[in-house]
Amino acid sequence: MDKIPELSGTNLIEAAFLAQDQAVFVVGWQTRRIFAASEAVYRVFGWRPEDLRGCTTELLHVDDDSFRRFGEISERILESEKDTFHCSYRMRRRDGSTFDTENMIGIIRGEGDAPVAVVSVVYEISEGRSFKLPTEHNLEPSWFGDRLPGGIFQRVQRPDGSVVYNFIHNALAEQFGIDPGQGRVDSSVVLERIHPEDRERLIDSTERAQKNLSLLDIEVSAYTTSGELRCLRSISQPRRLDDGSTVWDGLILDLTEQRSAESRVQHLVMYDRVTGLPNVATFEERLQGAMTHALEQGSLLAVGALNVNRFYTVNESLGFKCGDDALRKVGDRLQSMLHGNDMVARYEGAEFLFLVQGLETWESIRGLGQEAATLFDVPLQLDDGTSLSVSVKVGLSVFPDDAETPDGLRRKADLALQRVRKDPDGRFEFYSEEMSRAVLDAVALEKDLKEAVHNGVIVPHYQPQFDTVSGSLRGMEVLARWPLIQGGMVSPGRFIPLAEETGLIHPLMEHLVEAVLGQVWRWRQEGLSVPPVAINVSAHQIRRQGFFDWLFERLAHYGLGIEVLTVEITESAFLLDFVHVRSILDSLAEKGVRLSIDDFGTGYSSLSYLSQLPFRELKIDRAFVSEVDLSRRQQAVVKGIIELARALELEVVAEGVETESQLSELNALGCDSVQGFYLGRPMDAAALTDLLRAMTSPES
């Protein structure tokens, strides 16, 4: 990402000349990415300035060719002619409509006078509003004077020392109640408008500039006719006339709004926009001072990281306005438990930080964790009257035991938070060294996983599925196995979630599917009878654009029909975006894809979704199978699932069958097929080949 260039004084003047109520952009020289945009951009283009930051200007042009040509023309002119130029161009608003514009372009130069960015001012030319820029690159002062957020002047100091103002722009004179005619006789009419504290400084600076003809650039405060105090920047370059007089051709810029905006920007830099709480940078700055004080006092200091559970549901159900209000109420609630120099900050999303000082014992810190976690047992009351129940998780780190820097304390509190978020029953957690070791292990595992995926080390194994009555091979499920050089396997429970979290699930899935399809093709070449192969497709894959197109292309490559595959989907794949996922599954079903819902019964909403989705198979999770032969309750649950499946015309597969009695009970309940260690463990392609040959042989 480009860095925003430092603007020189000249650049600031240039921007001030042109900005006023027009759309202004600061754009990277080569990347054409937008560093900043003025508020008027919203009026002209329909884009909020913050939405455009980091984007290229391509979305402002009518098409790709227009974007390319504008860049070529601008670069050629600015490199070969002068630092500014203007042109007429047709541009595009956010809603897709196009309109005519006049564009004023100027270079911003950095070290070595090299161009680093451009200022682009866009004037909208619409019906009833015409505007033409001068045709020369060197624009006349009178043209600037009509558009300045200030004005221009000419100050003359005669050889006898008397000072007069030959010219004061009318708008400037009007605003500050200065009679231009009187100014041509007596300069005191100007000095009278300057704040008393700034007059002497202005006079001294002017005298120094007069002696060596140096640029005079000074900020002063001045009173308007209404008594309002405005912040003005006066920039003028003196020159000597033959008669000994000194003439300042000057520019006055009204910086009042700019200084106010800078103050607001400073607030935005230090505070969160939504909640008004300090942000992370401010939190760490304050934390540094608190740590120093804790060392001096010999006391403990706690840093907490608090997360609101499932906060996305608030935005989805109540809207972002209520969501923002809820975040403010969370911040207020947190502040209510703090005292003195303690502090609450917003980190990101629905996560907050808090700092508590002056703690004497570990018991008091533990009490703090309990208090923060139970603080939200009482619902929040939103501004619109909504009563909102939320729950939170809290992670805590302690100074000086856990870390010696603000960043370290914050990170370790966050590690504790991540640990407790994985515990359904936990409410708060303290940092421990074990957490850091776990993170290091995860980092190492991610590195090894990347190499394993890249080198094709992770391979498919196949767990056979058998007909409950006949014992014939009905299908097989593909399972990812990561063998280690030193022997053994990496548990899928470790690397599959990591693959999903890091995005490695996409290349891993493609590698596994490619290997499976190639193997099915080879089995068929041998004349073996191959039942459908079930592949597990995660939520990440379903939402990934083009995955199923790629799958169909690979099937065609091997000359295989869609009937060779069963696509297994867990409930989590459609919980968060049911409508979108349903449309995808409906489309797949229309193309003949056999869909199976995996781990049925372990989620919260399977029953409500089952009748709406085009599944052809249901897999009963091993949790219900493990005691189906021992517990009447489990028998009743499994029987109910099978009867539901029958009513919906779904085939039923039971997972995790490990004993003969389980198999017998499932057969009695009417389950179609089973898989599990009792009948067949997951096996590699070679072992499954032997099984297929045995199943295909005439004797079988």
Side-chain angles (χ1 to χ4, degrees):
M1 178 66 70
D2 303 302
K3 291 179 67 177
I4 297 178
E6 293 287 336
L7 302 185
S8 68
T10 303
N11 300 137
L12 288 172
I13 297 169
E14 199 170 87
F17 276 174
L18 302 169
Q20 208 162 1
D21 65 340
Q22 305 301 332
V24 183
F25 301 91
V26 181
V27 180
W29 172 248
Q30 291 184 321
T31 64
R32 299 177 73 183
R33 291 191 180 279
I34 298 169
F35 293 131
S38 68
E39 285 296 325
V41 165
Y42 180 69
R43 175 181 58 78
V44 177
F45 285 93
W47 291 95
R48 295 301 311 170
E50 58 269 23
D51 295 335
L52 294 173
R53 198 171 299 124
C55 301
T56 70
T57 55
E58 183 173 5
L59 77 173
L60 306 178
H61 288 268
V62 295
D63 53 37
D64 294 344
D65 186 55
S66 172
F67 171 69
R68 179 186 57 78
R69 285 188 290 107
F70 190 87
E72 291 174 353
I73 293 169
S74 302
E75 187 170 343
R76 185 168 63 250
I77 293 176
L78 291 174
E79 283 185 337
S80 63
E81 297 186 28
K82 297 192 177 184
D83 277 3
T84 62
F85 83 98
H86 77 273
C87 63
S88 300
Y89 222 74
R90 192 158 188 82
M91 305 195 81
R92 180 178 60 184
R93 295 187 178 91
R94 184 174 189 173
D95 63 7
S97 62
T98 60
F99 63 106
D100 292 322
T101 69
E102 292 280 357
N103 292 261
M104 181 68 183
I105 314 292
I107 287 183
I108 297 175
R109 297 188 179 275
E111 294 182 7
D113 212 30
V116 293
V118 297
V119 174
S120 176
V121 186
V122 180
Y123 293 87
E124 177 186 16
I125 302 176
S126 55
E127 185 178 353
R129 179 184 179 185
S130 62
F131 179 83
K132 284 293 182 181
L133 287 168
T135 56
E136 299 297 328
H137 290 293
N138 294 326
L139 305 178
E140 292 297 327
S142 61
W143 182 84
F144 282 125
D146 290 338
R147 292 160 181 82
L148 287 178
I152 57 176
F153 66 89
Q154 188 177 79
R155 180 182 187 273
V156 179
Q157 182 172 333
R158 296 167 179 154
D160 62 5
S162 61
V163 175
V164 295
Y165 284 84
N166 279 348
F167 178 79
I168 300 177
H169 180 247
N170 287 340
L172 183 65
E174 229 174 83
Q175 184 182 15
F176 289 92
I178 299 171
D179 181 351
Q182 191 176 355
R184 285 191 285 269
V185 178
D186 181 7
S187 64
S188 64
V189 297
V190 175
L191 283 176
E192 287 173 358
R193 309 311 300 173
I194 306 298
H195 191 283
E197 294 181 2
D198 291 338
R199 286 176 195 165
E200 288 301 320
R201 185 165 57 86
L202 175 60
I203 292 170
D204 291 343
S205 298
T206 304
E207 288 178 353
R208 286 196 299 272
Q210 191 268 343
K211 289 177 182 178
N212 54 23
L213 298 182
S214 60
L215 177 72
L216 176 60
D217 187 343
I218 187 171
E219 287 189 24
V220 296
S221 297
Y223 291 99
T224 66
T225 54
S226 64
E228 180 187 4
L229 196 62
R230 307 289 292 181
C231 179
L232 304 178
R233 181 180 182 186
S234 176
I235 306 165
S236 57
Q237 179 65 57
R239 54 191 170 89
R240 201 89 70 199
L241 301 183
D242 292 340
D243 65 358
S245 299
T246 303
V247 178
W248 283 264
D249 295 310
L251 162 70
I252 294 287
L253 298 176
D254 189 338
L255 302 184
T256 308
E257 279 71 30
Q258 179 180 328
R259 291 292 176 258
S260 176
E262 287 171 355
S263 177
R264 292 195 298 272
V265 167
Q266 181 66 18
H267 186 272
L268 290 174
V269 168
M270 299 181 65
Y271 293 87
D272 174 60
R273 179 184 61 82
V274 174
T275 63
L277 294 171
N279 58 21
V280 176
T282 306
F283 182 83
E284 291 192 354
E285 183 179 328
R286 290 268 300 276
L287 178 55
Q288 182 66 67
M291 291 164 63
T292 302
H293 181 71
L295 283 177
E296 293 172 352
Q297 299 297 314
S299 60
L300 299 173
L301 176 155
V303 169
L306 177 146
N307 184 78
V308 183
N309 300 327
R310 295 171 57 84
F311 188 77
Y312 65 87
T313 60
V314 177
N315 286 328
E316 288 181 353
S317 59
L318 301 180
F320 287 101
K321 184 177 180 181
C322 284
D324 288 350
D325 186 31
L327 290 173
R328 287 189 287 271
K329 296 300 188 291
V330 170
D332 293 343
R333 184 75 62 87
L334 259 179
Q335 286 181 307
S336 70
M337 79 170 193
L338 305 182
H339 309 281
N341 291 323
D342 297 344
M343 181 183 186
V344 175
R346 184 184 179 203
Y347 178 34
E348 62 182 12
E351 189 169 328
F352 294 78
L353 299 168
F354 59 91
L355 158 66
V356 180
Q357 305 180 59
L359 298 166
E360 301 297 333
T361 65
W362 275 89
E363 287 73 18
S364 62
I365 296 174
R366 180 168 293 278
L368 172 70
Q370 183 68 37
E371 182 182 1
T374 58
L375 194 63
F376 295 89
D377 289 347
V378 177
L380 303 174
Q381 297 299 318
L382 303 187
D383 289 344
D384 67 354
T386 301
S387 180
L388 180 65
S389 295
V390 298
S391 62
V392 301
K393 303 273 190 179
V394 179
L396 291 165
S397 64
V398 179
F399 176 80
D401 296 63
D402 295 335
E404 298 179 349
T405 64
D407 179 65
L409 280 173
R410 181 180 61 78
R411 284 188 296 106
K412 291 184 175 180
D414 196 59
L415 278 176
L417 173 62
Q418 300 316 312
R419 170 65 67 87
V420 75
R421 288 181 70 178
K422 296 177 182 178
D423 180 359
D425 301 318
R427 304 192 72 177
F428 70 95
E429 183 73 71
F430 288 95
Y431 167 78
S432 67
E433 286 297 328
E434 177 193 346
M435 295 176 188
S436 288
R437 287 193 295 272
V439 170
L440 293 175
D441 289 345
V443 171
L445 181 63
E446 181 178 349
K447 176 177 177 294
D448 293 342
L449 179 59
K450 286 180 180 178
E451 294 177 357
V453 171
H454 178 73
N455 296 324
V457 173
I458 301 175
V459 294
H461 278 211
Y462 305 84
Q463 183 162 37
Q465 299 168 341
F466 297 94
D467 185 278
T468 311
V469 177
S470 66
S472 61
L473 187 64
R474 290 278 299 269
M476 46 194 174
E477 179 181 0
V478 176
L479 304 170
R481 292 294 182 262
W482 181 359
L484 297 172
I485 296 175
Q486 62 270 32
M489 297 272 188
V490 180
S491 168
R494 288 187 67 202
F495 74 82
I496 293 296
L498 182 61
E500 292 180 340
E501 181 181 335
T502 59
L504 290 170
I505 192 66
H506 302 306
L508 173 59
M509 187 68 176
E510 290 177 0
H511 162 70
L512 291 173
V513 169
E514 189 76 32
V516 168
L517 296 182
Q519 185 61 60
V520 171
W521 179 82
R522 286 189 289 274
W523 282 329
R524 287 195 168 185
Q525 291 296 106
E526 289 187 42
L528 299 177
S529 177
V530 184
V533 180
I535 58 172
N536 291 281
V537 178
S538 71
H540 300 272
Q541 296 298 134
I542 288 181
R543 293 184 178 88
R544 190 184 189 197
Q545 188 174 6
F547 171 73
F548 286 106
D549 291 337
W550 173 85
L551 178 60
F552 292 137
E553 187 276 325
R554 298 319 296 161
L555 283 165
H557 172 78
Y558 287 103
L560 301 173
I562 192 60
E563 74 280 352
V564 304
L565 291 180
T566 295
V567 174
E568 292 187 2
I569 298 169
T570 58
E571 182 183 351
S572 62
F574 49 81
L575 272 179
L576 296 182
D577 194 0
F578 175 72
V579 174
H580 177 60
V581 172
R582 180 174 62 181
S583 68
I584 294 174
L585 298 186
D586 285 342
S587 175
L588 292 175
E590 289 174 3
K591 295 177 181 177
V593 178
R594 177 183 171 84
L595 298 172
S596 172
I597 181 168
D598 196 14
D599 298 335
F600 182 80
T602 59
Y604 298 99
S605 308
S606 296
L607 287 175
S608 63
Y609 291 143
L610 192 59
S611 63
Q612 302 180 56
L613 296 172
F615 290 112
R616 292 166 59 185
E617 178 183 277
L618 178 154
K619 298 188 74 174
I620 303 176
D621 187 73
R622 65 180 63 247
F624 300 105
V625 173
S626 62
E627 295 185 0
V628 70
D629 56 335
L630 303 174
S631 166
R632 284 192 172 184
R633 286 180 177 271
Q634 293 291 58
Q635 289 174 7
V637 170
V638 173
K639 181 180 180 182
I641 293 174
I642 293 173
E643 289 178 352
L644 173 66
R646 288 283 174 268
L648 296 174
E649 299 181 342
L650 303 178
E651 294 184 18
V652 182
V653 180
E655 299 179 299
V657 177
E658 298 183 353
T659 67
E660 182 179 359
S661 60
Q662 289 173 356
L663 176 61
S664 176
E665 187 63 39
L666 289 167
N667 184 17
L669 292 173
C671 184
D672 296 305
S673 54
V674 295
Q675 67 181 71
F677 286 1
Y678 177 66
L679 295 174
R681 290 176 174 269
M683 59 189 74
D684 61 19
L688 189 60
T689 300
D690 293 338
L691 177 63
L692 291 175
R693 285 172 179 162
M695 291 283 184
T696 308
S697 64
E699 292 78 10
S700 63

